[in-house]
Amino acid sequence: MSPSPFWSKAQDVLVHDLGSRIAGLSAEEATSRLKNYGPNTVLAMTHTNALHILLRQFLNPLVLILIFAATVSSLVGEMHDAIIISLIVLASCLLGFSQEYGATKALEALKKSISLSATVVRGGIESLVPASTIVPGDIIKLAAGSLVPADGVILSSRDLSVSEAALTGETFPVGKMAGVCPPEASIAARSNCVFTGTSVRSGTATIIAVETGGHTEYAAIAGAIARQIPETDFSRGIRRFGYLMTRIMLVIVITVFVANLLLHRPLIDSLLFSLALAVGLTPELLPAIISMTLARGARAMAAGGVIVRRLDAIENLGSMNLLCTDKTGTLTQGIIKLDGCVDPGGMHSQQVHLLAVLNASLQAGLKNPLDDAILASDEIGADLKAFVKKDEIPYDFMRKRLSVIVNNAGQDTMMVCKGAVANILSVCTSVRTGNAAEPLDEASRAAVDALYRKWGEDGIRVIAIASRRFAQDKGPYNVGDECELCLEGFLLFLDPPKAGIKDALTGLKHRGIGIKVISGDNRYIVKHLADTIGLRTKNVLTGGELASMSSDALFARASKTDLFVEIDPNQKELIIKALRRSGHVVGYMGDGINDAPALHEADVGISVDGAVDVAREAADLVLLRQDLNVLIRGVDDGRRTFANTMKYISIATSANFGNMISMAVASLFLPFLPLLAKQILLNNLLADIPSMAIATDRVDREQVQRPRRWDIRGIQRFMIFFGPVSSLFDFVTFGFLLFIVNVTTSQFRTAWFVESLITQLVTMLIVRTTIAAWKDRPGPLLLWSTAFITLVALLLPYFPPVAGIFDFTPLPIPLLGGLIAISAIYAATLELVKRFYFRRG
C-alpha cells in the first residue's frame, strides 16, 4: 500500500514524519539536511551551464553550414580544406562561448545580490535566511507580500489568501487554512497547502516545508507554468533581422552556386564558395556580441544602482517613452510623518492618538510606513499597559482596513479599526461627538467629506480610525465583525516631495520619457503633489470611473490621462495594458504586493531592493535606491547598450553585404573563384575580433537623448546605402589588380583578402559615429584591437606557415602600397557618404 501523501496527514503525524518540531529544526539539522537535499532552487534545473552554452554555439545554423562544408570537403578527399574549416569553426565557437558564458556568469552574480529570503523558525528563534537554504522540516512564517519558498502544509493561519496564478492559472486569490485534504485532491483542491512560486496576498501563516527545490510542484511542471514573458521589441527585432538575412543569403547562395555550375566550375569548389559566401554575409557572432554587450550594460547599470534581472529589459529601458509610477517614495520623500490626530470635527484628540498607537503596535501583519510613523510619534506611555490583544483581522487590499481587538484591563472588549477613509466610513453607523456617539447621517458625512477634501488639497494624507465595543469577548473575530463601527477621528500624515524631484522629472522629459501617476490616494492629494512638482494635472481619471469603462473606452482615454487616482490595485494592470496598446513602450515602477501584475504587464517592470518579494520577482529591473535619478542613469546606460548593439549590426551587415556582393559578381566574370572558402571564413573571423570591442565603445550623445527602438527598414537602408560603396571600391581594386598590376591568381586572392579585411575595419571606425570619425575617438579596446587586426592583415601573407595553409602569397611592396592608397580613398569617400546619409536623417 502506497504511503499517504503529505496533504492528507494530520499535523502531528506530518511533523513527526519529517523529523521536525514546532520550535523548528536546529541550525545543525538544517545544515545537514541542506547537504542531503541540495539547495532549494528551481534555477539549478534550468540553469544554463558551460557545456550547454558551448553546445549552443555549434547548433547555430551558420555553424552547421560550415560543418556541412567541412564534411563535404573530407568526403571528396579535400582533407586539408576540411581541417582548416573545422579549425575556423572551433575558433569561432570558442570565441562566442567565452563571451556568452562570461555574460551569463555576470548576470547570475547580479541576481544573487538581490536573492530572496524567508523567515524561518530554527531552535525556537525566528530568523531571516536565504530561501535557497530552506529544507524539508523547516517551520516558515508567511505574511502578505511573501513569495512561498517551498511546498508545505499550513500549521496555522489567519485570513490567508494566496495567489496561485503562476501554478494553476487561477486569476483570483484562493483562501487557505490548516486542515487535512483527501489523498486524491488535485493541486487546486489542496486548501491546506501552499506551493513554491505562489504569493501571499493577505493574512499570515505558519507552514512546515515538505518539498524543496526540484521536488516541488513548480519544478515538476516548470516548462508549462514558467512566467511567460511577452516577446520584447528587442527579441522581435532580432527575429525579424534573422529573417531578413536569411532571405538575402538564400538568394545570393543559390544564384552564385547555379551560375558557377553553368560556367562549368568544379561542383565542390562552387558549393564551398557559395556556403562560405552565406557565412561571410551574416554576422554569425551576433548572439555572443549581443550577450556581451548587454552583460556589460548590466554591470554598468549595477554600478549605478540598477540590478538587471532580465538582459532583454536593458533594450526596453532604452526604448521606454512612458513611465508610470506611484507617488509615495518615488515622487515624495517616502519618510511619512504623523502630523496630527484629530476628531471628526478636525480638533486634536488624544483618544484618536491612543487608538492609532494600539492598532499600529499590536498588529502583526503587513508592515506599513504609516504604522512606523505612528509609533515614531510621541509615546502614550503607561496607558498601553492596560490593554491586552485578543485577536486581529489582517489588512487586505480589497477592504483596505486592519483591525485589532483588545481588552481594557479585563473590562470591555474593543475593536480598533484603521484604514482608508471611504472604506472605514462604509462600515460606520455612528460618529464620535465629544464623549457621545451620534448617528452618522448625511450631514455628518458631508462635513467629513469637506474636511477630507480640504486636507487632500493641502497635500495631507488621511487615514480614518473607528472603534466598536463588544459586551463580551466572543472570539475568534472575522471580517463580518467589522460593522456598526463608530468613527473616532482621523490621522493626518505628511510626505513632502522628494528633494530634486523637479530636476529628475525634467531629465526624464529631456530624454523623451513622459510621466503618468497611478495612485490609490484620493484625487485631491495626488493633484496637489503633481501641481507642486510640475506634472500635468489637466486630465484625471478615478478608479470609480475606470471600473465602469470597457477596455476600448480605457484604450481611448489612457494616453490622454495625466493622473490615475483612487485606483484599486487590480486596475493597475488594465491601465498598463491600455497604454501599451496605444503604442507606448511603458515602464512601471512599483514595490507592493498588488503591483506584481502591472510589473509583469509593463515593457519594463521596475521595483526597488526594499520591495516585497513578489514585486521584486515580477520586476525586470531592481533599483538599489527608490530614486528617479538612479533610473535616469539606468536609462542612459540602457540606451548606450542598445546603440552599441545596433552599431555592430549596421556595420557588420553593410560591410559584409558589400564584400559578398562583390565576390558573387566577381565569381561570374573571373576565370577563377575570387577567394577560396577558407579565405572567406578567415576574413570573417578576423573582422569579428575587433567587433567584440564595440560593447566598450563610446556612444554619440544624441543617441542617449531619445528612446531608441529596432528599425529593420533602417538596417535595410543602411546596408543598401553603404554596401554598394564598399562594392564600388572592390571593383576598383579588381581593375587595379587585373589591368594595372596584372597579378596571378594567388596574388589576386591574397591582395583582395587584405583589401577586403582593411575596408571592413575602416567601415567600423567611420560608420560607428554620426559625426566626423576623427572628432569622436573610439573606445581604447576597439581602437587597439582594430589596429592589431589591420597589422595582422598586412603581415599575414609574409608569414610562411599561415600563408601556406591559406594559399596566400607575399605581395610586392608597390602592390601593397596601392591597396593602402585605395583603402585611404575609400575611407575619405565613406566619410563623405556618411555625412550625406545622416544629414538626410
Side-chain angles (χ1 to χ4, degrees), residues 493-565:
F493 297 90
L494 288 178
D495 186 12
K498 185 171 288 185
I501 188 64
K502 280 189 175 182
D503 292 337
L505 294 174
T506 300
L508 288 170
K509 181 179 179 181
H510 287 166
R511 287 164 175 78
I513 300 174
I515 299 287
K516 292 187 185 294
V517 179
I518 303 177
S519 176
D521 275 351
N522 75 77
R523 69 197 75 182
Y524 311 117
I525 189 171
V526 177
K527 188 174 186 301
H528 176 273
L529 173 68
D531 284 329
T532 302
I533 61 179
L535 290 178
R536 286 172 52 89
T537 61
K538 182 179 179 181
N539 298 307
V540 179
L541 182 66
T542 68
E545 293 171 322
L546 194 155
S548 62
M549 286 183 173
S550 66
S551 58
D552 288 337
L554 178 59
F555 163 67
R557 184 89 176 268
S559 291
K560 302 173 184 177
T561 301
D562 303 311
L563 307 176
F564 297 88
V565 298

Side-chain angles (χ1 to χ4, degrees), residues 142-144 203-204 362-368 371 389 392 394-395 402:
L142 300 176
T204 58
L362 297 179
Q363 73 98 0
L366 183 66
K367 301 300 179 184
N368 192 309
D371 292 329
K389 179 179 178 181
E392 176 178 348
Y395 181 88
L402 183 148

Side-chain angles (χ1 to χ4, degrees), residues 262-314:
L262 293 176
L263 292 171
H264 305 292
R265 304 274 171 77
L267 173 65
I268 298 303
D269 287 349
S270 298
L271 177 61
L272 293 178
F273 178 75
S274 301
L275 293 176
L277 276 183
V279 175
L281 174 64
T282 307
E284 75 276 7
L285 292 184
L286 177 61
I289 289 178
I290 287 176
S291 296
M292 182 184 69
T293 305
L294 293 179
R296 185 179 185 277
R299 288 192 293 268
M301 292 171 70
V306 182
I307 302 298
V308 179
R309 299 190 68 256
R310 186 166 58 88
L311 282 179
D312 281 0
I314 295 177

Side-chain angles (χ1 to χ4, degrees), residues 28-306:
E28 293 76 17
E29 286 175 316
T31 301
S32 174
R33 293 190 184 196
L34 186 61
K35 292 179 181 178
N36 292 333
Y37 290 101
N40 175 37
T41 173
V42 182
L43 181 64
M45 298 175 57
T46 56
H47 173 58
T48 304
N49 57 33
L51 182 60
H52 189 176
I53 294 175
L54 181 61
L55 289 175
R56 195 162 62 210
Q57 309 304 313
F58 287 93
L59 294 178
N60 184 309
L62 294 169
V63 172
L64 293 176
I65 290 175
L66 292 178
I67 294 174
F68 173 72
T71 303
V72 171
S73 296
S74 63
L75 291 176
V76 297
E78 298 288 344
M79 290 302 300
H80 182 262
D81 285 351
I83 292 172
I84 292 173
I85 293 173
S86 299
L87 290 175
I88 291 175
V89 169
L90 181 62
S92 177
C93 290
L94 290 177
L95 188 60
F97 164 77
S98 66
Q99 301 303 325
E100 191 168 343
Y101 183 69
T104 302
K105 298 298 288 183
L107 184 61
E108 287 177 3
L110 292 176
K111 284 185 176 180
K112 285 180 181 177
S113 68
I114 53 169
S115 58
L116 292 175
S117 56
T119 300
V120 175
V121 181
R122 287 181 178 167
I125 301 173
E126 290 187 15
S127 58
L128 203 62
V129 302
S132 59
T133 64
I134 288 175
V135 295
D138 262 329
I139 304 298
I140 304 169
K141 296 286 187 176
L142 300 176
S146 300
L147 272 178
V148 179
D151 288 4
V153 170
I154 299 169
L155 301 179
S156 63
S157 66
R158 282 303 309 273
D159 298 311
L160 181 67
S161 65
V162 178
S163 173
E164 294 186 330
L167 193 67
T168 65
E170 173 59 48
T171 303
F172 299 101
V174 293
K176 297 282 187 175
M177 63 187 71
V180 175
C181 290
E184 66 275 9
S186 65
I187 293 176
R190 296 172 199 168
S191 59
N192 66 333
C193 296
V194 290
F195 302 96
T196 299
T198 62
S199 60
V200 180
R201 295 295 296 271
S202 65
T204 58
T206 300
I207 71 167
I208 183 168
V210 179
E211 302 287 3
T212 60
H215 299 286
T216 61
E217 295 289 348
Y218 188 93
I221 54 175
I225 51 78
R227 173 185 174 209
Q228 294 299 310
I229 301 172
E231 185 180 40
T232 65
D233 193 53
F234 187 68
S235 300
R236 189 182 306 112
I238 291 176
R239 174 172 55 79
R240 292 174 59 197
F241 173 71
Y243 292 158
L244 169 67
M245 299 310 297
T246 300
R247 289 196 300 269
I248 296 174
M249 182 177 68
L250 287 174
V251 170
I252 293 179
V253 169
I254 295 174
T255 301
V256 170
F257 179 63
V258 172
N260 276 276
L261 289 181
L262 293 176
L263 292 171
H264 305 292
R265 304 274 171 77
L267 173 65
I268 298 303
D269 287 349
S270 298
L271 177 61
L272 293 178
F273 178 75
S274 301
L275 293 176
L277 276 183
V279 175
L281 174 64
T282 307
E284 75 276 7
L285 292 184
L286 177 61
I289 289 178
I290 287 176
S291 296
M292 182 184 69
T293 305
L294 293 179
R296 185 179 185 277
R299 288 192 293 268
M301 292 171 70
V306 182

